Amino acid sequence: LDERNYVVELPAGIECVGDVDALIERVFPAETLDDPTSWAMSGIVAPLNTSKDEINRKIVAKLPGEPKEYYAINTPSPNTVDPFDYTSMESMAEYMAQIDENGLPMNLLTLKVGQKVMFTRNVAKRFGLCNGTPAIVRELRDDVITVQRISNDGKLGELVDVLRCRVERKVDLRMKKYFSFSRIQFPLAPAFAMTVHKAQGQTFEDLDGYRVVLQNAAWTM
Protein backbone atom coordinates (compact mmCIF):
# COMPACT_ATOMS: atom_id res chain seq x y z
CA LEU A 1 0.00 0.00 0.00
CA ASP A 2 1.15 3.56 -0.63
CA GLU A 3 0.58 6.55 1.67
CA ARG A 4 -3.00 6.87 0.40
CA ASN A 5 -3.72 3.19 1.01
CA TYR A 6 -3.81 2.42 -2.70
CA VAL A 7 -2.63 -0.97 -3.87
CA VAL A 8 0.73 -0.78 -5.62
CA GLU A 9 1.20 -3.24 -8.47
CA LEU A 10 4.71 -4.65 -8.64
CA PRO A 11 6.35 -5.04 -12.06
CA ALA A 12 6.55 -8.50 -13.59
CA GLY A 13 9.62 -10.43 -12.51
CA ILE A 14 9.68 -9.19 -8.92
CA GLU A 15 9.62 -12.09 -6.50
CA CYS A 16 8.89 -11.97 -2.77
CA VAL A 17 10.62 -14.19 -0.21
CA GLY A 18 9.85 -14.86 3.42
CA ASP A 19 13.08 -13.93 5.21
CA VAL A 20 16.75 -13.08 4.79
CA ASP A 21 17.85 -16.72 4.58
CA ALA A 22 15.38 -17.38 1.76
CA LEU A 23 16.61 -14.25 -0.03
CA ILE A 24 20.23 -15.42 0.24
CA GLU A 25 19.34 -18.88 -1.08
CA ARG A 26 17.43 -17.32 -3.99
CA VAL A 27 20.28 -15.03 -5.10
CA PHE A 28 23.30 -17.09 -4.00
CA PRO A 29 22.26 -20.78 -3.86
CA ALA A 30 24.59 -22.84 -1.70
CA GLU A 31 25.33 -25.29 -4.52
CA THR A 32 26.64 -22.49 -6.78
CA LEU A 33 28.93 -20.69 -4.31
CA ASP A 34 31.98 -22.57 -5.62
CA ASP A 35 31.26 -21.28 -9.14
CA PRO A 36 31.67 -17.47 -9.21
CA THR A 37 30.73 -17.31 -12.90
CA SER A 38 27.15 -18.20 -11.94
CA TRP A 39 26.72 -15.27 -9.53
CA ALA A 40 29.34 -12.74 -10.61
CA MET A 41 26.60 -10.31 -11.69
CA SER A 42 24.33 -10.99 -8.72
CA GLY A 43 23.99 -8.87 -5.61
CA ILE A 44 21.71 -8.09 -2.68
CA VAL A 45 20.92 -4.43 -1.95
CA ALA A 46 20.29 -3.58 1.70
CA PRO A 47 18.98 -0.32 3.18
CA LEU A 48 21.32 -0.28 6.20
CA ASN A 49 24.97 -1.10 6.90
CA THR A 50 23.91 -3.46 9.70
CA SER A 51 21.70 -5.43 7.30
CA LYS A 52 24.43 -5.52 4.67
CA ASP A 53 26.99 -6.80 7.18
CA GLU A 54 24.65 -9.52 8.47
CA ILE A 55 23.90 -10.80 4.96
CA ASN A 56 27.58 -10.85 4.00
CA ARG A 57 28.46 -12.79 7.16
CA LYS A 58 25.77 -15.39 6.46
CA ILE A 59 26.94 -15.96 2.88
CA VAL A 60 30.66 -16.03 3.68
CA ALA A 61 30.00 -18.59 6.44
CA LYS A 62 28.77 -20.99 3.75
CA LEU A 63 32.05 -20.83 1.84
CA PRO A 64 34.63 -23.56 2.55
CA GLY A 65 37.88 -22.76 4.29
CA GLU A 66 38.89 -20.62 7.21
CA PRO A 67 38.51 -16.82 7.19
CA LYS A 68 41.54 -14.56 7.45
CA GLU A 69 41.41 -11.35 9.48
CA TYR A 70 43.22 -8.14 8.57
CA TYR A 71 43.39 -5.39 11.18
CA ALA A 72 44.03 -1.82 10.10
CA ILE A 73 46.92 0.26 11.38
CA ASN A 74 45.52 3.48 12.88
CA THR A 75 47.86 6.38 13.67
CA PRO A 76 46.60 9.62 15.29
CA SER A 77 47.80 12.88 13.80
CA PRO A 78 50.44 14.70 15.89
CA ASN A 79 48.14 17.69 16.44
CA THR A 80 45.40 15.44 17.82
CA VAL A 81 47.14 13.83 20.78
CA ASP A 82 50.17 14.59 22.94
CA PRO A 83 52.76 11.88 22.09
CA PHE A 84 53.86 11.82 25.75
CA ASP A 85 50.35 11.28 27.09
CA TYR A 86 50.28 7.46 26.90
CA THR A 87 46.85 7.20 28.55
CA SER A 88 45.36 9.43 25.87
CA MET A 89 47.07 7.47 23.10
CA GLU A 90 45.72 4.15 24.38
CA SER A 91 42.15 5.44 24.59
CA MET A 92 42.56 7.04 21.16
CA ALA A 93 43.68 3.71 19.65
CA GLU A 94 40.63 1.95 21.06
CA TYR A 95 38.30 4.64 19.74
CA MET A 96 39.90 4.72 16.27
CA ALA A 97 39.45 0.96 15.96
CA GLN A 98 35.69 1.38 16.44
CA ILE A 99 35.30 3.91 13.62
CA ASP A 100 33.89 2.48 10.39
CA GLU A 101 32.48 5.24 8.22
CA ASN A 102 32.14 6.19 4.57
CA GLY A 103 35.50 7.04 3.06
CA LEU A 104 37.50 4.86 5.45
CA PRO A 105 38.55 1.24 4.86
CA MET A 106 37.18 -1.25 7.35
CA ASN A 107 39.15 -1.48 10.58
CA LEU A 108 38.68 -5.25 10.66
CA LEU A 109 38.50 -6.93 7.25
CA THR A 110 37.54 -10.62 7.36
CA LEU A 111 37.82 -12.49 4.06
CA LYS A 112 37.71 -16.00 2.60
CA VAL A 113 39.07 -17.27 -0.69
CA GLY A 114 36.24 -17.36 -3.24
CA GLN A 115 34.13 -14.56 -1.85
CA LYS A 116 32.91 -11.48 -3.69
CA VAL A 117 34.44 -8.13 -2.74
CA MET A 118 34.53 -4.62 -4.12
CA PHE A 119 37.18 -1.93 -4.19
CA THR A 120 36.46 0.93 -1.81
CA ARG A 121 38.90 3.38 -3.42
CA ASN A 122 40.22 4.25 -6.86
CA VAL A 123 43.37 2.12 -7.11
CA ALA A 124 44.24 2.17 -10.83
CA LYS A 125 41.64 3.75 -13.10
CA ARG A 126 43.44 2.82 -16.32
CA PHE A 127 43.09 -0.86 -15.36
CA GLY A 128 39.47 -0.44 -14.28
CA LEU A 129 40.23 -0.78 -10.58
CA CYS A 130 37.97 1.94 -9.24
CA ASN A 131 35.76 2.55 -6.25
CA GLY A 132 32.93 0.02 -6.57
CA THR A 133 34.71 -2.40 -8.93
CA PRO A 134 33.69 -6.00 -8.00
CA ALA A 135 36.16 -8.88 -7.76
CA ILE A 136 36.62 -12.41 -6.43
CA VAL A 137 39.21 -13.19 -3.73
CA ARG A 138 41.72 -15.73 -5.06
CA GLU A 139 44.55 -15.71 -2.51
CA LEU A 140 45.03 -14.30 0.97
CA ARG A 141 48.53 -13.53 2.22
CA ASP A 142 49.66 -11.39 5.11
CA ASP A 143 50.63 -8.35 3.04
CA VAL A 144 49.01 -9.04 -0.34
CA ILE A 145 45.51 -10.05 -1.40
CA THR A 146 45.10 -11.43 -4.93
CA VAL A 147 41.70 -10.83 -6.53
CA GLN A 148 40.17 -11.51 -9.94
CA ARG A 149 38.30 -8.57 -11.38
CA ILE A 150 34.71 -8.97 -12.56
CA SER A 151 34.18 -7.07 -15.82
CA ASN A 152 31.04 -5.14 -16.72
CA ASP A 153 29.67 -8.13 -18.67
CA GLY A 154 30.12 -10.46 -15.71
CA LYS A 155 33.18 -12.25 -17.06
CA LEU A 156 36.14 -12.90 -14.79
CA GLY A 157 39.21 -10.94 -15.82
CA GLU A 158 42.84 -10.74 -14.84
CA LEU A 159 44.36 -11.44 -11.44
CA VAL A 160 45.41 -8.36 -9.48
CA ASP A 161 47.59 -8.08 -6.37
CA VAL A 162 46.14 -5.58 -3.91
CA LEU A 163 48.30 -3.83 -1.30
CA ARG A 164 47.32 -1.84 1.76
CA CYS A 165 46.79 1.87 1.25
CA ARG A 166 46.87 4.86 3.58
CA VAL A 167 43.72 6.93 4.04
CA GLU A 168 43.64 10.18 5.99
CA ARG A 169 40.65 11.05 8.16
CA LYS A 170 40.40 14.83 8.45
CA VAL A 171 38.73 16.93 11.09
CA ASP A 172 35.24 17.96 9.97
CA LEU A 173 33.22 19.76 12.65
CA ARG A 174 30.05 19.68 10.54
CA MET A 175 30.22 15.87 10.45
CA LYS A 176 31.26 15.71 14.14
CA LYS A 177 34.75 14.45 13.28
CA TYR A 178 36.77 16.11 16.04
CA PHE A 179 40.18 14.54 15.46
CA SER A 180 42.23 13.28 12.56
CA PHE A 181 44.19 10.08 12.02
CA SER A 182 45.49 7.87 9.23
CA ARG A 183 44.39 4.29 8.56
CA ILE A 184 46.39 1.73 6.59
CA GLN A 185 44.24 -1.10 5.28
CA PHE A 186 43.36 -3.04 2.13
CA PRO A 187 40.86 -1.03 0.02
CA LEU A 188 38.39 -3.93 -0.18
CA ALA A 189 35.01 -4.76 1.37
CA PRO A 190 32.69 -7.80 1.23
CA ALA A 191 30.20 -7.36 -1.63
CA PHE A 192 27.71 -10.22 -1.76
CA ALA A 193 25.44 -7.57 -0.23
CA MET A 194 25.91 -3.81 -0.36
CA THR A 195 24.07 -0.67 0.62
CA VAL A 196 21.92 1.27 -1.83
CA HIS A 197 24.56 4.00 -1.87
CA LYS A 198 27.35 1.61 -2.95
CA ALA A 199 25.08 -0.13 -5.48
CA GLN A 200 24.28 3.01 -7.47
CA GLY A 201 25.42 2.75 -11.07
CA GLN A 202 25.85 -1.05 -10.98
CA THR A 203 24.05 -3.73 -12.99
CA PHE A 204 22.86 -6.96 -11.40
CA GLU A 205 21.62 -10.15 -13.02
CA ASP A 206 20.08 -13.10 -11.22
CA LEU A 207 20.21 -16.78 -12.11
CA ASP A 208 17.18 -16.50 -14.42
CA GLY A 209 18.67 -13.63 -16.38
CA TYR A 210 16.64 -10.78 -14.88
CA ARG A 211 18.69 -7.60 -15.00
CA VAL A 212 18.35 -4.61 -12.68
CA VAL A 213 20.29 -1.43 -13.32
CA LEU A 214 20.62 0.95 -10.37
CA GLN A 215 21.08 4.41 -11.79
CA ASN A 216 22.81 7.24 -9.95
CA ALA A 217 19.80 8.82 -8.33
CA ALA A 218 18.60 10.13 -4.99
CA TRP A 219 17.22 7.41 -2.72
CA THR A 220 15.21 7.89 0.45
CA MET A 221 14.87 4.99 2.85
Side-chain angles (χ1 to χ4, degrees):
L1 300 179
D2 65 9
E3 60 185 5
R4 293 171 295 182
N5 293 323
Y6 292 159
V7 174
V8 177
E9 183 177 353
L10 298 177
I14 290 184
E15 179 181 342
C16 295
V17 294
D19 54 31
V20 170
D21 291 330
L23 173 64
I24 292 173
E25 184 60 26
R26 175 64 181 83
V27 182
F28 297 103
E31 64 271 16
T32 68
L33 283 179
D34 60 350
D35 179 20
T37 59
S38 67
W39 46 258
M41 294 283 287
S42 299
I44 296 175
V45 180
L48 301 173
N49 273 315
T50 52
S51 303
K52 175 258 298 181
D53 293 339
E54 177 190 2
I55 294 171
N56 277 315
R57 282 194 296 268
K58 285 177 175 287
I59 300 176
V60 172
K62 297 182 179 182
L63 291 171
E66 293 297 320
K68 189 173 180 63
E69 295 182 337
Y70 296 93
Y71 285 90
I73 301 172
N74 299 309
T75 305
S77 300
N79 60 354
T80 300
V81 59
D82 185 341
F84 297 103
D85 186 351
Y86 297 103
T87 302
S88 178
M89 291 182 69
E90 290 177 359
S91 62
M92 182 77 73
E94 182 178 350
Y95 183 66
M96 287 186 297
Q98 297 174 0
I99 296 179
D100 278 316
E101 59 190 24
N102 290 334
L104 274 181
M106 301 175 68
N107 184 72
L108 172 58
L109 181 61
T110 304
L111 299 175
K112 276 187 179 181
V113 172
Q115 84 169 82
K116 187 177 183 180
V117 294
M118 69 161 56
F119 284 84
T120 58
R121 297 187 65 81
N122 294 330
V123 176
K125 288 186 177 181
R126 62 176 177 166
F127 297 114
L129 304 179
C130 305
N131 187 9
T133 298
I136 307 295
V137 175
R138 291 309 190 187
E139 186 176 0
L140 296 170
R141 288 170 280 173
D142 290 341
D143 298 314
V144 179
I145 296 177
T146 301
V147 301
Q148 188 171 19
R149 188 169 69 90
I150 301 174
S151 61
N152 293 333
D153 58 3
K155 295 181 180 179
L156 302 183
E158 66 280 3
L159 296 176
V160 179
D161 286 338
V162 183
L163 304 177
R164 297 176 190 263
C165 66
R166 181 189 298 273
V167 179
E168 300 290 337
R169 183 190 193 260
K170 304 293 185 181
V171 171
D172 187 340
L173 299 182
R174 293 179 303 170
M175 301 300 294
K176 297 184 179 180
K177 300 178 181 180
Y178 301 117
F179 65 93
S180 58
F181 66 91
S182 65
R183 172 171 292 176
I184 300 177
Q185 180 61 290
F186 292 100
L188 299 171
F192 284 115
M194 62 194 76
T195 61
V196 175
H197 173 73
K198 275 294 185 182
Q200 290 184 26
Q202 298 204 32
T203 300
F204 297 119
E205 180 175 311
D206 74 358
L207 297 177
D208 296 327
Y210 290 108
R211 296 174 67 86
V212 178
V213 180
L214 298 181
Q215 302 292 347
N216 292 319
W219 290 74
T220 55
M221 305 304 297

